[in-house]
Amino acid sequence: MDFAFLKKFSHRISSFFHKLTDFQKKTIILCSSLLAVIFIILIFFAANRHKSAVHLECIETKGSSSLIAINKYAQKGIIKDGQTAFFKFSTQQLQLISSVYEKYSTVSITVRINLLPKKDKEYQNSYLKFGFLTEKDLSHSTKQELQSISDSSHPLIQTNLDNAPQTFDISLATQKQQDYKTFQDNLPKGFFVSSTYDCKIVAACAVPSEIGFDINYEVPFYGFAGNGGYLDFSNNTIDFSGASLVFPVENTSVSSMPEFAITLDQTKENKSTLENKVLINFTLGGEKFSLNSVKTDSQIIIPSSALKSPFSRAEITQNSDHISSFILRATYNQPNSEGQVLIPVRTDPGLILNYNKSAWRTLDYEIFEWDRFERILFFDTRNYDIQDNFFRRMAYFVEKEGYKGTLLTDEQLKGKHGYNAHDYSAVSMANFFNKALKENFPLNKQEELLKKILLENELIEFDGTVFIPHEGGIVSISQESAPYLRSTFLAHEGWHTLFFKDEEFRNFTSAVYYTMDQTSIQFLKDYFKSQPELGYDQNDDYLMHNEFMAYLMQQRIAEVANYFVHLANRGSVIKYTPELAAYVRKTEGKTFEDAARALNDFVFDKYQIIGGNITLISR
């Protein structure tokens, strides 16, 4: 470097500056400062010209990061004059989106849209589009090429903004892939929003996929599968036909089919009463459903595996305004590493009887959990033999007169049958397994499996020394029973589980039991004795109260009196207790009907279910 030249040049500049007036010096300094500020601003804008005011949030992280803006509408996130905003994900954002998919096996991009106010506040004939961008899309450089993307055949969500809320969330799911690497290779690289109505894109978020609508919150939500669809703000129809692109289509050892979650509006005027049932009717997969709109529960679960054609269009044909959410979402109840089914399918009992058996996760049994009550499990077994292997020894240990508290060996159980349907409380089952543990008693493989199921679902826990019961209980029915019996058994045993769970219900039942005509009570006891296969221990007041309640509530109230007259006409009953059988015939079973009505009023007020029917949904 020529330092002599630099020294000479510096000297000339200094001489020139000294010859200037004070005013000239100040002017040059001011101009230089302004040029420096402008230069810094230009550098800042050049560095941030692709940063968008719209941020991407992620369910897996607390923070958010700015999306990459492809055009000027994406920079501020404000769309005007029917234009389109194009956004690109950063490398870090793509990794975050992938992490959601890796954890939940689904991922959607949800965008919040705010329609900007106009003087006329009319959205008529205005539309909005939302779709993903691929690597190929982002290779387009001209404005015309970019705009053509939103007019192409991309899978996207479209809607007419008539009747649209001012702010709403729209969500588009990515398509599932065979493996995680394939998903990463096919992950959308960005998205676009196009609108003929001025709007602001508030934010975007990467979340597990949900398809359907949810208007429970201040900002309503509308979710779509990866093939997009048309958004209908009336909420009368929901298109689930693309759900097979997002969720598993069968239950396997590594995946489970999704579930429909229907949330009921809680407006008091929309609810059923004892005198007037309010039904919500809808079709799904070509099947017709009726849902009882009750005040004590807000959400009903329908497993997609229970349906003939779950991934299709749903239409709410009656009282659509009574539903505030109709969502299809993922479940995580596949078998464990040993192929054992431990996690139940949550649903209303009304869907258990006609559940699609080909969708069972094991050949021998399926387990369900009452969607309204935690820790109430329903077993459905392939036949009585399998059911006996699970529950016969427990039946004798818990209820059978002369055997209570005793663990019978396999040899002693030969030729014995427990019941055609079963019910046990968490307390009884904990006692059973504690007895086996204390005596080092060998249980069979189904009983060991039952123990795992109870532990997994927290009906009992093991503290290292003993099994501790929690609330709840189980019911078991069998495919071997005739359909009409399965329906009765489900109701009968289902009432038992509520008795196990609810102390207030137990106390009310006891009050009815002791205030009822005691001659009729004695008839019921004699009936139990006349049927040797029942074998109830009548010294157990808890058991007697429970069975009294269930025999009254297993059928509709209008059928109770005739049912007990029918029992009084049985030859075995007349032979065992002729006088009391004659008494029931003479009184026409009315004392039982009166007691059933008292119980019915109680359970309807508390649970909104009635005698003979513990379900809220039918098809």
Side-chain angles (χ1 to χ4, degrees):
M1 181 175 289
D2 191 343
F3 289 102
F5 170 78
L6 290 175
K7 186 176 181 181
K8 186 177 181 180
F9 179 76
S10 175
H11 176 73
R12 288 179 177 178
I13 293 295
S14 177
S15 298
F16 171 76
F17 194 77
H18 282 297
K19 292 178 181 179
L20 298 175
T21 65
D22 289 342
F23 175 77
Q24 289 174 325
K25 290 177 182 179
K26 290 178 181 178
T27 301
I28 289 174
I29 292 172
L30 179 61
C31 290
S32 299
S33 300
L34 287 173
L35 286 172
V37 170
I38 291 171
F39 182 70
I40 293 171
I41 291 173
L42 289 173
I43 292 175
F44 175 80
F45 277 108
N48 292 277
R49 66 190 178 94
H50 291 305
K51 266 193 173 184
S52 172
V54 182
H55 283 220
L56 178 76
E57 301 174 4
C58 179
I59 193 173
E60 293 298 288
T61 60
K62 291 183 178 180
S64 64
S65 56
S66 176
L67 288 160
I68 299 172
I70 304 299
N71 65 352
K72 66 178 183 179
Y73 301 103
Q75 287 178 339
K76 292 185 177 180
I78 295 177
I79 303 173
K80 291 189 174 183
D81 305 320
Q83 296 299 315
T84 304
F86 295 92
F87 300 89
K88 181 180 178 181
F89 300 125
S90 67
T91 301
Q92 181 185 19
Q93 288 169 343
L94 288 171
Q95 291 173 346
L96 289 172
I97 295 168
S98 296
S99 70
V100 176
Y101 183 85
E102 186 177 23
K103 182 173 182 178
Y104 298 98
S105 300
T106 67
V107 63
S108 288
I109 301 301
T110 300
V111 175
R112 178 159 294 180
I113 304 293
N114 178 231
L115 301 178
L116 299 177
K118 286 185 176 180
K119 290 181 179 179
D120 54 13
K121 295 187 178 179
E122 292 287 340
Y123 307 151
Q124 291 181 1
N125 300 317
S126 297
Y127 69 83
L128 181 139
K129 296 179 181 179
F130 167 42
F132 287 141
L133 296 172
T134 65
E135 192 76 62
K136 182 180 178 181
D137 295 327
L138 294 173
S139 67
H140 293 296
S141 56
T142 69
K143 184 182 293 186
Q144 290 77 13
E145 286 177 326
L146 278 173
Q147 190 62 37
S148 69
I149 293 172
S150 63
D151 300 325
S152 68
S153 58
H154 279 58
L156 47 80
I157 300 170
Q158 300 184 73
T159 182
N160 187 305
L161 295 175
D162 296 356
N163 304 315
Q166 184 175 349
T167 304
F168 57 91
D169 291 342
I170 51 175
S171 184
L172 187 59
T174 62
Q175 294 193 19
K176 67 184 181 184
Q177 302 293 339
Q178 292 180 341
D179 54 61
Y180 181 58
K181 184 180 183 307
T182 306
F183 171 79
Q184 288 182 305
D185 293 341
N186 291 276
L187 180 63
K189 301 304 186 288
F191 65 89
F192 67 87
V193 178
S194 175
S195 177
T196 59
Y197 191 94
D198 295 355
C199 66
K200 180 179 180 180
I201 303 162
V202 180
C205 190
V207 294
S209 299
E210 292 187 342
I211 302 173
F213 73 87
D214 187 343
I215 56 174
N216 282 303
Y217 303 99
E218 184 178 351
V219 178
F221 167 88
Y222 301 90
F224 289 80
N227 63 339
Y230 183 80
L231 170 52
D232 178 7
F233 288 105
S234 69
N235 303 326
N236 290 321
T237 60
I238 315 102
D239 187 4
F240 297 108
S241 59
S244 59
L245 301 172
V246 181
F247 301 110
V249 297
E250 61 180 351
N251 291 323
T252 70
S253 60
V254 295
S255 62
S256 57
M257 294 178 68
E259 65 183 14
F260 295 92
I262 302 176
T263 306
L264 306 181
D265 176 73
Q266 291 302 297
T267 304
K268 185 177 180 181
E269 292 72 21
N270 294 343
K271 297 304 173 185
S272 294
T273 64
L274 194 55
E275 297 77 23
N276 179 41
K277 184 183 290 187
V278 177
L279 295 178
I280 301 166
N281 294 327
F282 61 93
T283 61
L284 179 59
E287 298 180 80
K288 294 182 179 180
F289 295 85
S290 285
L291 179 57
N292 190 6
S293 182
V294 301
K295 69 178 182 180
T296 54
D297 201 61
S298 60
Q299 194 171 84
I300 305 297
I301 303 299
I302 301 178
S304 62
S305 52
L307 309 180
K308 294 177 181 177
S309 301
F311 303 140
S312 57
R313 189 181 182 86
E315 182 176 2
I316 307 171
T317 57
Q318 181 178 344
N319 291 326
S320 62
D321 59 330
H322 293 12
I323 291 182
S324 57
S325 174
F326 202 137
I327 290 289
L328 182 63
R329 65 193 184 190
T331 60
Y332 306 95
N333 52 14
Q334 57 264 28
N336 65 7
S337 58
E338 302 174 49
Q340 297 173 318
V341 171
L342 306 180
I343 305 298
V345 175
R346 294 183 66 229
T347 189
D348 181 83
L351 296 176
I352 294 175
L353 295 176
N354 297 315
Y355 191 84
N356 182 8
K357 191 168 179 289
S358 64
W360 278 18
R361 294 166 294 165
T362 71
L363 178 64
D364 290 340
Y365 70 95
E366 183 58 278
I367 52 175
F368 306 90
E369 182 178 35
W370 202 337
D371 58 353
R372 301 178 65 197
F373 306 103
E374 290 184 348
R375 302 190 185 100
I376 292 184
L377 306 184
F378 295 85
F379 285 69
D380 199 356
T381 62
R382 181 161 54 89
N383 54 42
Y384 288 144
D385 287 341
I386 293 168
Q387 183 173 242
D388 275 347
N389 287 337
F390 271 111
F391 301 111
R392 176 173 52 177
R393 199 186 326 266
M394 189 173 295
Y396 281 84
F397 176 84
V398 175
E399 292 185 354
K400 296 284 189 177
E401 189 174 16
Y403 299 97
K404 280 186 62 175
T406 302
L407 294 174
L408 299 183
T409 64
D410 290 345
E411 185 66 28
Q412 291 172 315
L413 286 172
K414 275 187 179 180
K416 288 183 169 63
H417 177 59
Y419 299 112
N420 291 346
H422 296 256
D423 66 272
Y424 303 104
S425 68
V427 173
S428 295
M429 292 184 288
N431 291 339
F432 175 84
F433 289 113
N434 279 328
K435 182 79 168 180
L437 180 66
K438 182 178 180 181
E439 297 183 359
N440 197 25
F441 188 92
L443 301 174
N444 65 35
K445 66 177 183 179
Q446 282 84 7
E447 290 164 333
E448 292 289 352
L449 175 57
L450 174 62
K451 185 198 303 179
K452 281 188 179 181
I453 293 170
L454 299 177
L455 289 167
E456 179 70 26
N457 292 283
E458 299 181 353
L459 274 79
I460 61 174
E461 67 171 295
F462 186 62
D463 69 356
T465 305
V466 296
F467 293 96
I468 302 169
H470 294 164
E471 66 172 18
I474 65 98
V475 165
S476 177
I477 58 176
S478 172
Q479 293 277 320
E480 193 169 335
S481 297
Y484 78 93
L485 284 175
R486 282 169 55 82
S487 179
T488 300
F489 289 157
L490 188 72
H492 180 103
E493 310 300 346
W495 286 115
H496 282 318
T497 61
L498 292 179
F499 187 90
F500 297 149
K501 187 180 182 68
D502 187 350
E503 182 180 8
E504 185 182 7
F505 184 31
R506 293 195 297 272
N507 291 338
F508 188 81
T509 298
S510 297
V512 174
Y513 181 91
Y514 288 121
T515 56
M516 182 182 166
D517 169 30
Q518 291 302 296
T519 304
S520 296
I521 291 290
Q522 188 57 52
F523 166 79
L524 183 61
K525 290 182 175 180
D526 282 0
Y527 163 73
F528 291 155
K529 289 179 181 178
S530 72
Q531 311 300 307
E533 70 276 8
L534 295 178
Y536 297 140
D537 179 3
Q538 297 198 14
N539 293 316
D540 185 337
D541 289 340
Y542 182 96
L543 176 62
M544 284 295 98
H545 297 172
N546 199 356
E547 293 299 338
F548 158 76
M549 176 277 303
Y551 271 85
L552 291 177
M553 299 298 290
Q554 69 185 12
Q555 60 273 304
R556 294 187 302 115
I557 300 304
E559 299 170 357
V560 171
N562 287 337
Y563 174 75
F564 281 93
V565 171
H566 168 72
L567 295 185
N569 281 323
R570 283 190 187 181
S572 58
V573 177
I574 292 173
K575 182 178 180 180
Y576 188 87
T577 182
E579 293 182 2
L580 294 183
Y583 176 80
V584 170
R585 292 195 297 274
K586 180 180 179 181
T587 57
E588 298 180 335
K590 293 299 184 182
T591 57
F592 291 102
E593 180 180 322
D594 292 342
R597 289 192 183 281
L599 289 170
N600 198 59
D601 288 345
F602 177 89
V603 297
F604 183 82
D605 184 59
K606 187 159 190 179
Y607 306 120
Q608 248 69 112
I609 49 181
I610 57 175
N613 188 7
I614 62 171
T615 71
L616 293 182
I617 191 167
S618 60
R619 61 176 173 179

